[in-house]
Amino acid sequence: MPVSRRTFLGGGLAAAAVAVTGTPLLAGCASDKKNSAAVNAAVKLPTYQKYGAIKPDLPGNDAVLDAFLKYPANPVKAITDKPGDGQPISFITNIPGAIPPAADNNQFWQAVNERLGSELQISMASNDEYPDKLATRIAGGDLPDIINIPPTTVQIPGLLKAKAMDLTEQLSGDGVLKYPFLANIPTVYWKGCVFNGAIYGVPVPRGMSRTTLPLYRADLLAAKGIKDPAPKNFEEFLALAQEMTAAKENKWAWTKPPLPYIRQMIGLPNQWKEEGGKFTSFYEAEGSSEALEAGRKMVEAGVVNPDTFSAKASARKQWFNGGIASFDIDSFVAWNQYYADNTAGDAFSVNMLDVPGFDGGQGKPWMGSALNNVTAFSKDSKHSVETLLKIANWMAAPFGTEEYLFRKYGLEGRHYTLNGTDPTPTKTGVVETGIGLQYISDSALALYWAGKPDVPQRQHAIQEKIADRLVYDASYGLYSETLSKDGARLTKQMTDLENEIMSGNKPVSDWAPAVKNWLSSGGEKIRGELQQAFTATSGK
């Protein structure tokens, strides 16, 4: 049967739960019958009630995000009462950027505390260090009031059952309407918070904002006389990359081989495909070797920066921003981040390629993962569940509200200046506001960039182009214990081989036996668990 949006978004976190360390974070965390697919499917999810006070310039739909060409004038102040209870509230999270100044030297953080009516005590770590920090806190029984649970956390059902508050009574059905901005999160995202027959957290939604396609430096392509590139097949795509490569000038088309994009050209599954209750991984799907051969061909052609296989992600982003590379495969979130990190001046311009078929026609873009994380509340918290939910509700106030403007941009004058109605961050603003509030809760991403209406226009346009062709991961909403415990190890083996093949160190013929080994080492067991969960819910 076709994979619906409901199936796709139905518990993205559970399906993506894979091991980071290879060992359980908590003794006894293994899931049991209380986490069966049938029991979880019976949970009445929170009612969706869209917040209608703000009208987008370019409306979205179930897949396409709302776009705004400027920040609305006179933003709505949507919350009048302070959500806190006067006592300190602790939170642990990852931080994608540099660790900001501490609260006693951070006027934004101080202003957040004042608005909340409680001191927010945040324990932060970098993206790379966070899994280990979280594991240490769990093992030590030292959990804060609010916990950012990433998709890579091992055996999530057991962890949440042992350590987190059950929020079903407060959020199920119309109960969520007491928290209007949590109700503004579409119901389907809440499926990713259901474990053990209960709602155990608040979703931080992503979906389309995480859809990943080639971003390109439109200004660099325009300088070569290339406007609105639209390759019709792989050969034209490769020719475009060759045109944008000048190795003697230290310029390459690509930051890294765009293997996921090639797989979308060929029409491979988005992680897992389901047909008649039978699941197929993209590793084993027909065309997987062809995709690797095409990636190897790009590296051999010299259109990929030769340092790509040893470079960190941060270095590849610097290549793109600095003009050393003109293409990078990444998401709509990264598109905005590139503008935030822009060092090329006003000429800097980014756009995104559509997906052609490998041999012509149209390709099949992959929908991004449903959730960034689930936010759980510690069972041992001394705060009431209502207080913690009011904090999350405040954090989820959507684009166009006064709360959103403050939460994302800070205090006018210190953290941003207004250009018309658009907030432009100051250097101090960039440094002080990055304290991770978006990982407590958040509204769906709005397409917007201050002072540059062409950015959301381009983003909205490409989303409308691909919306009807999106391919969803059939495993979303279906928990696999083997995937949770062994997924990271199994995936790393395949990723390492992909890189060896594309770099020319191993032949493409090594892929087929590696897939057989992947299946016998756990892939077949993952398939069986997903199929069993799918059957138990009859595809719901």
Side-chain angles (χ1 to χ4, degrees):
M1 62 176 289
V3 181
S4 67
R5 175 175 167 81
R6 180 168 296 273
T7 303
F8 147 66
L9 287 172
L13 188 73
V18 293
V20 174
T21 62
T23 57
L25 292 176
L26 184 70
C29 267
S31 64
D32 54 28
K33 292 182 180 179
K34 291 183 179 179
N35 189 54
S36 73
V39 169
N40 289 337
V43 174
K44 187 174 184 181
L45 297 171
T47 300
Y48 174 51
Q49 186 173 88
K50 185 174 176 63
Y51 183 67
I54 299 158
K55 306 299 182 184
D57 296 307
L58 301 172
N61 53 38
D62 279 356
V64 177
L65 300 170
D66 289 341
F68 294 83
L69 306 185
K70 59 183 179 181
Y71 205 89
N74 305 313
V76 176
K77 185 165 179 58
I79 301 174
T80 54
D81 298 331
K82 293 182 177 181
D85 58 10
Q87 300 302 309
I89 296 173
S90 54
F91 171 48
I92 186 170
T93 187
N94 62 299
I95 295 290
I99 301 297
D104 59 359
N105 194 33
N106 187 326
Q107 290 188 31
F108 173 70
W109 197 334
Q110 294 165 16
V112 169
N113 292 342
E114 170 61 27
R115 287 199 175 209
L116 292 180
S118 283
E119 177 189 354
L120 190 60
Q121 300 174 341
I122 309 176
S123 177
M124 309 175 195
S126 68
N127 287 350
D128 291 339
E129 295 171 346
Y130 184 63
D132 287 340
K133 181 167 187 172
L134 178 61
T136 299
R137 294 286 293 270
I138 293 170
D142 178 28
L143 286 173
D145 300 304
I146 303 175
I147 313 158
N148 171 343
I149 307 287
T152 48
T153 306
V154 183
Q155 295 174 298
I156 292 174
L159 171 63
L160 292 174
K161 183 179 179 181
K163 296 295 185 180
M165 292 182 183
D166 180 342
L167 306 177
T168 312
E169 182 180 347
Q170 289 78 21
L171 298 177
S172 182
D174 289 349
V176 76
L177 300 180
K178 183 178 179 181
Y179 310 98
F181 299 123
L182 297 183
N184 186 52
I185 299 173
T187 297
V188 287
Y189 287 105
W190 289 92
K191 285 191 175 182
C193 302
V194 174
F195 303 92
N196 313 303
I199 300 170
Y200 271 97
V202 172
V204 176
R206 288 297 182 263
M208 179 64 104
S209 64
R210 281 279 176 83
T211 293
T212 296
L213 290 169
L215 296 171
Y216 65 88
R217 287 282 303 272
D219 54 321
L220 299 182
L221 270 67
K224 289 267 194 178
I226 304 170
K227 185 178 180 181
D228 297 328
K232 296 177 182 178
N233 51 46
F234 175 76
E235 291 304 323
E236 288 191 11
F237 173 66
L238 177 57
L240 174 63
Q242 290 171 321
E243 192 169 355
M244 292 306 301
T245 298
K248 292 182 179 179
E249 299 172 20
N250 195 37
K251 294 184 186 300
W252 287 269
W254 277 92
T255 61
K256 59 184 175 182
L259 183 59
Y261 184 63
I262 297 170
R263 285 170 167 157
Q264 293 172 51
M265 285 183 172
I266 292 172
L268 295 186
N270 180 356
Q271 309 309 314
W272 288 91
K273 177 177 71 171
E274 178 273 321
E275 283 184 329
K278 171 73 173 177
F279 277 63
T280 303
S281 165
F282 73 92
Y283 289 141
E284 59 184 326
E286 184 177 353
S288 57
S289 293
E290 184 181 11
L292 284 164
E293 171 59 24
R296 186 204 63 76
K297 186 176 180 179
M298 291 189 73
V299 174
E300 185 181 56
V303 301
V304 179
N305 190 309
D307 294 328
T308 187
F309 295 106
S310 59
K312 293 183 178 180
S314 57
R316 291 194 291 265
K317 290 182 181 297
Q318 290 170 5
W319 297 341
F320 187 82
N321 255 331
I324 293 174
S326 49
F327 286 89
D328 183 42
I329 184 161
D330 218 321
S331 67
F332 290 90
V333 174
W335 188 333
N336 279 12
Q337 190 60 45
Y338 274 131
Y339 274 93
D341 297 339
N342 168 33
T343 57
D346 292 340
F348 184 83
S349 181
V350 176
N351 210 337
M352 183 180 270
L353 288 183
D354 196 351
V355 191
F358 191 84
D359 295 315
Q362 293 184 314
K364 297 181 178 180
W366 294 350
M367 180 59 135
S369 56
L371 301 181
N372 182 81
N373 63 282
V374 163
T375 298
F377 304 144
S378 172
K379 274 185 180 178
D380 297 329
S381 176
K382 295 179 181 179
H383 298 276
S384 70
V385 63
E386 288 79 12
T387 293
L388 298 176
L389 284 170
K390 285 195 289 185
I391 294 290
N393 181 68
W394 187 88
M395 298 291 176
F399 185 94
T401 61
E402 191 275 340
E403 289 79 6
Y404 183 100
L405 179 63
F406 168 74
R407 195 173 75 246
K408 299 292 186 179
Y409 295 94
L411 301 168
E412 184 182 358
R414 178 174 179 82
H415 300 115
Y416 70 90
T417 57
L418 278 179
N419 180 13
T421 61
D422 287 321
T424 302
T426 63
K427 290 183 179 178
T428 300
V430 171
V431 171
E432 291 191 354
T433 58
I435 62 175
L437 300 184
Q438 70 272 29
Y439 302 133
I440 293 178
S441 186
D442 209 355
S443 56
L445 180 75
L447 302 177
Y448 168 78
W449 192 256
K452 286 189 174 292
D454 61 304
V455 173
Q457 285 174 330
R458 290 177 176 185
Q459 293 175 333
H460 196 267
I462 187 65
Q463 289 190 4
E464 286 196 317
K465 279 185 179 180
I466 66 173
D468 292 340
R469 291 182 280 129
L470 287 165
V471 176
Y472 299 89
D473 179 357
S475 71
Y476 279 114
L478 307 174
Y479 182 73
S480 161
E481 185 80 358
T482 304
L483 177 61
S484 178
K485 291 190 295 186
D486 297 333
R489 174 182 60 81
L490 294 169
T491 298
K492 185 178 185 302
Q493 291 175 358
M494 301 304 284
T495 301
D496 288 346
L497 178 57
E498 288 169 359
N499 290 334
E500 288 290 299
I501 289 172
M502 289 188 295
S503 63
N505 293 328
K506 290 190 176 179
V508 175
S509 58
D510 280 5
W511 184 252
V515 170
K516 289 183 179 179
N517 181 65
W518 174 82
L519 288 168
S520 62
S521 299
E524 197 63 67
K525 194 171 181 182
I526 293 170
R527 184 210 311 281
E529 291 168 355
L530 293 175
Q531 289 177 176
Q532 184 178 18
F534 180 83
T535 300
T537 58
S538 299
K540 289 187 291 185

